[in-house]
Amino acid sequence: MSHEVPLKDYRNIGIMAHIDAGKTTTTERILYYTGKTHRMGEVHEGTTQMDWMEQEQERGITITSAATTCYWKNYRITIIDTPGHVDFTAEVERSLRVLDGAIAVFCGVGGVEPQSETVWHQAERYRIPRIAFVNKMDRVGADFFYVVRSMKEKLHTKPVAMNLPIYEKEEFIGILDLIRGKAIYYRDETLGTEFYEEEISENYKKIYDQYSNELLESVAEYDDELLEEYIKPDKERKISAEMIKRAVRKGTLDSEIAPVFCGAAFKNKGIQLLLDAIVDYLPSPIDLPPYEGISVDGKKKIKRKPENSEPFSALVFKIITETYFGQLAFLRCYSGCVKKGTSVLNTRTNKSERISRLLEMHANKREDQEKICTGDIFAVIGFKDIQTGDTICDRSKPIVLEPMWFPEPVLSVAIEPKSTSDQDKLAVSLKKLMQEDPTFKLHVDKDTGQSIISGMGELHLEILTERLLREFKVNANIGKPQVAYKETITTSVTGSKEFIKQTGGRGMYAKLEIEVEPLKGHKGFEFESKILSGAVPKEFWSSIERGAREAMEAGPIAGYPIDGVKVTLLDGGWHEVDSSDLAFNICANMVVKETIGKAEPVLLEPLEKINVVVPDGYLGEIINDINSRRGKVKKMEARKNLHFLEAVVPLSELFGYTTDLRSLSQGRANHTMQFYAYDVLPKQLSEEIIARVMGR
Ligand SMILES: Nc1nc2c(ncn2[C@@H]2O[C@H](COP(=O)(O)OP(=O)(O)OP(=O)(O)O)[C@@H](O)[C@H]2O)c(=O)[nH]1
Ligand SMILES: [Mg+2]
């Protein structure tokens, strides 16, 4: 990799937004203008570099996040283009974990759409500074000021307009740069590669004055020199572009403000200004606080500076399986350097792994490297046992970096191989897919022996089963999607158990008294011990906790996993010879299972939040339909001729909703959905499900 670029000139950034906002189109333009590609890729033609998967090109949507590196004004920019569809939220999550900054893309017409809101908050969780790009300014109904306002209202951020769109006879023709006070126009015949500056025209002077003042007012507090000038009377002010940029950079890096730019990626406008903004306002690895990890035993915090002289450490954020190369692991290096051929430590397995090949990635294309250093995003071939979230590091200086968080899958389908030869292939292929995707799970039904696969939604499962068939050539029958139910308890109960087993030789003995109680929101598992160490020696406590945790795997009603329970250990008894870890583990498992059965258990079902955009004339029918699906409308808003509905509906009632909504509105309404929460299933439905599950 080009290590001549100093770390301060690195930018590792993500592009995130609601589906179809134009992330991939924007990335393709970035690649073209930076000279990385010589042909502009288009999503609708299936010719983009970033959407390289067959299914992405066919469907015109991004499914998997892809990384690429390009150079702009000697800065090294590594970009990860993420999918907008909520079923692929894991791709956003893993990317945000390893990036330093992000561009949030908004549609100039749609504004802050639901999934943009979600990804914005995801980025907040990882404390990632963000800039905003309002795209599609060429579309009828695009309204830059509306988008800026809705960022303030919905994202609770301080958006600062840095550009304004210029229109002539309702056509989007250029961009006004508020810092430099110039109008910028693009030459269409060079696909926007060439652009020129002009003075601001008379009819834009007033709006320029207003917004350039607002810009100063919003950012003056972030730079002392600027503030000093800003408070002087207008005529005495000596404000330079550098001062404003410094202030905007400081405000952005502190996540206090979000500078907002505009353009139309598809029409080749505004991308060079966005590239300047990446360089000017988003952080380099050294602008962030030192990285924190923990020691392998989890007891000590370890800090690492982002410097090549520090010991090597890197985090695995993605794994893909390739037909020829086998597994490809994607990593971000946080400190130090590593050369090809080196042995490194995986702190999860505590085993050494050899780095056979080091690669710089450009979507699915790759370039071999001899060495990688701090700040690099790269791929490795040759790991034997690797998982997403693993830390790879210098063998003599182990560290565990914070892994990423992934949501639980909510939808399942049964999958059955069509022939015996497919049977083995299916097992191997499912394992590979699971390794790639932590939101894809497999379990085998104890009663029927059927393989059940679970994922984030209908589209997610459809893509995965399609990949099984096409890439892995496995023929399988796919069942109907089923909701992933859970079980919980609704009351607190105490229970006790004495576990005695005498089978010649050494026996087994353990005695426990516990309380189980429901947790708020039907979520999580907690374990507390109020026992005195005399009653049960401390050495057995972890076996008891493990036994209790294992009891959560299958509930008393229909064998679904249990969630939202706290187990408190109250008392117990032991025997000097017969008590053991195993005896306490079994006893804990039994007593927790029995007590949960008495704590009025109920079934939980997943609820989705759906956002529906409804044109005038269809609202009544669409609301009636939501009600008939046991849904509740939570919010309603109207803008121009459109109504924006937000409702919470059980997932089990939403199968085929896309088609139904289309027929209800003659194809004019559209919707998005995302997981909302688990809630108690009404009694009658619960009985139906129990009867179905138990009768199978
Ligand atoms: N009119 C107009 N259309 C655009 C613009 N940018 C993108 N599009 C179109 O919008 C559609 C979606 O663009 P993508 O770039 O695939 O959007 P995305 O955000 O990557 O979508 P996902 O990855 O599926 O979430 C494509 O048909 C683009 O051609 C723009 O500036 N103006
Ligand atoms: Mg895309």
Side-chain angles (χ1 to χ4, degrees), residues 68-335:
T68 187
T69 300
C70 57
Y71 293 84
W72 181 250
K73 299 184 175 166
N74 297 327
Y75 284 79
R76 177 189 160 91
I77 304 176
T78 298
I79 305 172
I80 298 185
D81 175 28
T82 65
H85 195 288
V86 63
D87 280 14
F88 310 116
T89 182
E91 292 300 296
V92 183
E93 201 69 43
R94 60 165 111 233
S95 309
L96 289 176
R97 169 65 187 85
V98 295
L99 293 168
D100 301 327
I103 305 174
V105 181
F106 299 97
C107 166
V109 183
V112 181
E113 292 163 291
Q115 192 57 16
S116 324
E117 220 173 309
T118 308
V119 290
W120 185 269
H121 296 307
Q122 265 172 302
E124 221 149 60
R125 206 170 52 233
Y126 291 107
R127 294 177 294 278
I128 289 181
R130 276 144 287 175
I131 59 176
F133 180 61
V134 183
N135 189 32
K136 303 199 183 184
M137 292 314 302
D138 60 306
R139 278 188 54 192
V140 177
D143 184 346
F144 179 73
F145 304 102
Y146 158 73
V147 182
V148 174
R149 257 195 331 271
S150 64
M151 280 182 71
K152 200 181 291 174
E153 283 159 17
K154 293 189 176 163
L155 306 176
H156 311 291
T157 183
K158 194 166 134 191
V160 179
M162 306 290 294
N163 291 166
L164 298 179
I166 303 175
Y167 288 92
E168 195 177 79
K169 296 194 194 116
E170 300 197 353
E171 192 192 336
F172 174 55
I173 54 158
I175 294 171
L176 212 156
D177 181 335
L178 287 173
I179 292 190
R180 287 187 306 140
K182 296 276 188 235
I184 293 145
Y185 301 99
Y186 298 83
R187 293 199 202 281
D188 288 341
E189 60 282 13
T190 64
L191 295 176
T193 308
E194 287 177 28
F195 53 91
Y196 56 95
E197 273 181 19
E198 277 186 7
E199 293 308 317
I200 297 168
S201 63
E202 271 313 308
N203 50 348
Y204 271 88
K205 280 251 161 70
K206 209 168 139 210
I207 188 168
Y208 164 72
D209 283 342
Q210 182 192 337
Y211 280 91
S212 56
N213 269 326
E214 270 186 26
L215 165 60
L216 283 180
E217 193 184 316
S218 309
V219 304
E221 62 181 294
Y222 303 113
D223 187 81
D224 292 342
E225 213 183 328
L226 177 65
L227 187 63
E228 217 171 279
E229 293 298 322
Y230 179 69
I231 51 179
K232 287 181 185 167
D234 276 7
K235 280 193 193 116
E236 293 169 31
R237 273 186 192 170
K238 283 200 194 77
I239 293 177
S240 69
E242 285 319 306
M243 284 178 204
I244 309 175
K245 282 190 186 171
R246 229 169 32 218
V248 176
R249 181 169 181 82
K250 173 83 171 57
T252 312
L253 295 193
D254 293 348
S255 289
E256 296 264 331
I257 60 165
V260 191
F261 301 83
C262 69
F266 186 56
K267 300 282 171 169
N268 308 323
K269 290 184 175 65
I271 303 299
Q272 291 92 339
L273 289 174
L274 186 65
L275 275 161
D276 287 342
I278 294 171
V279 163
D280 289 340
Y281 308 123
L282 287 177
S284 79
I286 55 172
D287 292 318
L288 301 166
Y291 303 107
E292 240 180 43
I294 49 170
S295 56
V296 177
D297 60 11
K299 289 189 177 146
K300 250 191 1 239
K301 276 194 184 154
I302 304 174
K303 278 197 178 141
R304 284 278 161 84
K305 283 190 223 131
E307 285 172 12
N308 291 344
S309 54
E310 288 262 313
F312 169 67
S313 69
L315 184 73
V316 178
F317 67 96
K318 188 176 169 82
I319 289 164
I320 57 173
T321 310
E322 294 237 329
T323 328
Y324 300 112
F325 295 103
Q327 262 179 5
L328 203 64
F330 287 70
L331 295 94
R332 147 92 194 229
C333 178
Y334 281 96
S335 59

Side-chain angles (χ1 to χ4, degrees), residues 20 22-25 43 50-51 56 60-63 81-84:
D20 264 1
K23 297 173 289 294
T24 304
T25 309
V43 174
M50 301 310 284
D51 285 350
E56 294 184 309
I61 59 165
T62 304
I63 293 167
D81 175 28
T82 65

Side-chain angles (χ1 to χ4, degrees), residues 94 302 340 353 373 397 406 411 445 455 465 487 495 606 638 648:
R94 60 165 111 233
I302 304 174
K340 186 174 124 181
E353 293 267 10
C373 286
K397 294 273 187 321
F406 291 108
L411 204 65
D445 189 305
T465 45
E487 300 184 18
V648 171

